[in-house]
Amino acid sequence: MPVLPGAEPFRRTGDPVGVLLCHGFTGSPQSLRPWAEYLAARGLTVSLPLLPGHGTRWQDMQLTTWRDWYATVDRELRSLLDTCEQVFVFGLSMGGTLALRLAAEHGDAVSGVVVVNPANKLHGLAPKFLPAVRHLVRTTPGVADDIAKEGSHELGYNRVPLHAAHSFQQLLRVVDGQLPQVTQPLLVLHSRVDHVVAPVDSTRVLSRVSSTDVTETVLERSYHVATLDHDAERIFEDSYAFVTRLSGHGAPAEKKDEVLVDAVEAGEEEAASGGA
């Protein structure tokens, strides 16, 4: 099936600092494209892939699983690592879940993680019956377009295929178990009001990761798709500042050297404290 207009993947080659962005469940790169373009305009190498089964029609997604979605972002990360000196992983909703798995699986190869309204669990009674109900009912109403900003819209499916939802549920369980393996610097931005992913999911992520460099930001004016909402500029600016702080991107050569020295010293201090 042809890709829906606006749902196309995005890639720009820039400086040797790369960012991989992961979109959400039933969504598409359109929800993150302004973020990707913001980062690319500042010289970063940026990759925003289209996940299998997304960006066409919901029937295509019914044939995919979380392993297909993860394989795509894993392949993109490896591609960025081949050409960049440092790579950061960003994600929205399920994309945040995928980003956290990438961090857990790839360790020090990932320099930092930024997640917006990351999903951790399907809440309520309905998910308990999902393994059985998916064989009787094909879809439920969609979850796209949870945005407070008038005139802003997300390009996503208007139906949720239940076989895919069940696979998503499996992904959430797997990644929850891997959160203690996440040690990288972490920026978590979550909306105070979110009709798709409960804010408690961000609390769960923050409580289980092993990262010591952690920043939590509450978005007061946005709903779930905050990257297209009132707080989008704050997300873009804060995430770029996060990257520049850890990589020295955009700084004079001497400042980059300072960032590198600070990173080495921090690593030595952590190793010393661990051996005490």
Side-chain angles (χ1 to χ4, degrees), residues 35-97:
W35 195 5
E37 291 177 341
Y38 178 96
L39 299 170
R42 280 147 186 81
L44 297 172
T45 293
V46 178
S47 177
L48 170 54
L50 173 64
L51 301 180
H54 293 71
T56 54
R57 57 177 190 162
W58 68 259
Q59 290 89 341
D60 296 328
M61 191 176 177
Q62 188 81 317
L63 305 175
T64 64
T65 72
W66 75 262
R67 296 185 184 278
D68 300 311
W69 314 328
Y70 180 73
T72 295
V73 295
D74 183 74
R75 183 171 58 249
E76 286 297 314
L77 175 60
R78 293 174 189 275
S79 177
L80 286 172
L81 290 170
D82 285 341
T83 59
C84 295
E85 296 173 2
Q86 287 183 273
V87 178
F88 296 79
V89 292
F90 293 7
L92 166 69
S93 192
M94 182 185 77
T97 312

Side-chain angles (χ1 to χ4, degrees):
M1 291 294 295
V3 174
L4 296 170
E8 302 87 358
F10 177 92
R11 176 110 187 198
R12 289 291 184 275
T13 300
D15 295 338
V17 177
V19 176
L20 169 62
L21 296 103
C22 310
H23 71 75
F25 182 73
T26 73
S28 75
Q30 178 264 351
S31 62
L32 300 184
R33 191 176 180 99
W35 195 5
E37 291 177 341
Y38 178 96
L39 299 170
R42 280 147 186 81
L44 297 172
T45 293
V46 178
S47 177
L48 170 54
L50 173 64
L51 301 180
H54 293 71
T56 54
R57 57 177 190 162
W58 68 259
Q59 290 89 341
D60 296 328
M61 191 176 177
Q62 188 81 317
L63 305 175
T64 64
T65 72
W66 75 262
R67 296 185 184 278
D68 300 311
W69 314 328
Y70 180 73
T72 295
V73 295
D74 183 74
R75 183 171 58 249
E76 286 297 314
L77 175 60
R78 293 174 189 275
S79 177
L80 286 172
L81 290 170
D82 285 341
T83 59
C84 295
E85 296 173 2
Q86 287 183 273
V87 178
F88 296 79
V89 292
F90 293 7
L92 166 69
S93 192
M94 182 185 77
T97 312
L98 294 171
L100 289 164
R101 178 169 166 81
L102 288 170
E105 292 280 314
H106 288 270
D108 292 342
V110 172
S111 295
V113 184
V114 178
V115 291
V116 179
N117 293 323
N120 177 260
K121 181 181 179 180
L122 299 183
H123 299 271
L125 290 176
K128 298 182 185 300
F129 302 102
L130 186 55
V133 171
R134 66 191 175 102
H135 297 292
L136 304 173
V137 180
R138 298 183 72 191
T139 69
T140 58
V143 295
D145 230 17
D146 186 36
I147 302 172
K149 185 178 181 180
E150 186 175 351
S152 185
H153 298 287
E154 179 189 17
L155 181 60
Y157 294 147
N158 61 4
R159 305 296 299 178
V160 174
L162 292 192
H163 281 305
H166 178 249
S167 189
F168 178 30
Q169 187 177 47
Q170 293 175 321
L171 170 67
L172 294 175
R173 290 171 180 160
V174 168
V175 176
D176 185 67
Q178 290 185 300
L179 289 177
Q181 297 170 232
V182 177
T183 60
Q184 298 88 342
L186 174 66
L187 171 60
V188 177
L189 305 106
H190 62 92
S191 301
R192 188 172 298 280
V193 178
D194 187 329
H195 304 98
V196 177
V197 171
V200 70
D201 283 22
S202 291
T203 303
R204 172 74 173 179
V205 169
L206 289 163
S207 70
R208 285 184 55 76
V209 296
S210 299
S211 306
T212 55
D213 181 346
V214 177
T215 304
E216 177 186 12
T217 299
V218 178
L219 306 173
E220 301 286 353
R221 303 169 58 229
S222 300
Y223 294 159
H224 183 61
V225 192
T227 50
L228 297 178
D229 217 324
H230 292 293
D231 293 296
E233 280 297 319
R234 180 173 188 181
I235 294 169
F236 304 167
E237 292 170 2
D238 286 4
S239 63
Y240 180 63
F242 176 83
V243 170
T244 57
R245 174 172 67 85
L246 295 169
S247 69
H249 181 268
E254 59 271 18
K255 184 62 177 177
K256 292 182 182 180
D257 291 340
E258 290 177 16
V259 170
L260 179 60
V261 170
D262 289 345
V264 171
E265 290 179 347
E268 291 175 346
E269 290 176 2
E270 184 174 343
S273 63

